[in-house]
Amino acid sequence: QVQLVESGGGLVQAGGSLRLSCAASGLTFSRYIMGWFRQAPGKEREFAASIRRNGDNPYYADSVKGRFTISRDNAENTVYLQMNSLKPEDTAVYFCAARLEYTNYDNGYWGQGTQVTVSS
């Protein structure tokens, strides 16, 4: 079955960096658009970044643009989220998700999430 497994979360001070990874299995990874979402306590889940199948045209939410970088390695079936200049408001559970073209993430696959906590 399809699995998306996130890793790399943790506790970091404001201004620090973390690199999240999401390893995919059970699907043809290169066919999927990959995204990162996050959900802070008491808030709705929000989009953070996405990347197309061949790695082109990364797209970012305004809240993370210029600080986060999404990338993928289709040979390793892995998508990454490099997070720099972290702020306390970046504290959330981070999820990776996969969708096919012309579908939405709700019809795709999701990981279980990894906690990122940024202390002030």
Side-chain angles (χ1 to χ4, degrees), residues 66-86:
R67 300 186 299 119
F68 290 11
T69 302
I70 188 171
S71 61
R72 67 189 293 163
D73 184 338
N74 285 348
E76 296 294 328
N77 289 357
T78 302
V79 62
Y80 304 97
L81 188 67
Q82 177 67 44
M83 305 186 296
N84 298 330
S85 302
L86 282 161

Side-chain angles (χ1 to χ4, degrees), residues 8-95:
L11 174 64
V12 64
Q13 287 190 328
S17 298
L18 282 174
R19 189 193 196 205
L20 306 184
S21 299
C22 171
S25 60
L27 76 171
T28 305
F29 183 73
S30 60
R31 292 184 61 200
Y32 286 80
I33 297 167
M34 299 300 298
W36 284 98
F37 292 75
R38 64 187 186 181
Q39 187 167 20
K43 294 190 175 181
E44 301 264 323
R45 185 177 66 196
E46 65 174 9
F47 168 82
S50 66
I51 190 166
R52 301 197 67 81
R53 293 179 298 171
N54 59 1
D56 285 349
N57 297 325
Y59 183 74
Y60 301 95
D62 288 344
S63 56
V64 308
K65 198 176 295 182
R67 300 186 299 119
F68 290 11
T69 302
I70 188 171
S71 61
R72 67 189 293 163
D73 184 338
N74 285 348
E76 296 294 328
N77 289 357
T78 302
V79 62
Y80 304 97
L81 188 67
Q82 177 67 44
M83 305 186 296
N84 298 330
S85 302
L86 282 161
K87 305 174 182 179
E89 51 264 44
D90 294 318
T91 295
V93 178
Y94 283 72
F95 300 88

